[in-house]
Amino acid sequence: TTPIQPVLCGDDARALAMAASLERAGYWVAAIRPPTVPEGRARLRVTLSALHPAPDVDGLVDAVAPARAATA
């Protein structure tokens, strides 16, 4: 129902590392950290639009799991 989808990461370092991993994979996703969100609730901010083709969205979804695993 909204073009903005959060991917919860927890700590700041993990959010930054996941954002960097996704950027290396070709996706720009902002890491949102305190004071914008509460401490311990860092997240990635995925912003979708109708201009994003379905294969690009699918590719981003597929890239999130390896980014998360690489920072575990």
Side-chain angles (χ1 to χ4, degrees):
T1 61
T2 176
I4 299 171
Q5 298 297 313
V7 177
L8 299 179
C9 302
D11 65 70
D12 300 0
R14 188 171 197 195
L16 289 169
M18 287 179 66
S21 177
L22 290 169
E23 186 171 359
R24 286 189 299 276
Y27 301 98
W28 187 82
V29 179
I32 307 300
R33 301 162 288 151
T36 307
V37 296
E39 195 69 45
R41 302 279 297 165
R43 63 199 65 195
L44 300 179
R45 181 182 178 149
V46 176
T47 306
L48 303 169
S49 85
L51 297 177
H52 290 112
D56 289 349
V57 175
D58 291 341
L60 172 61
V61 170
D62 291 342
V64 169
R68 183 180 298 274
T71 62

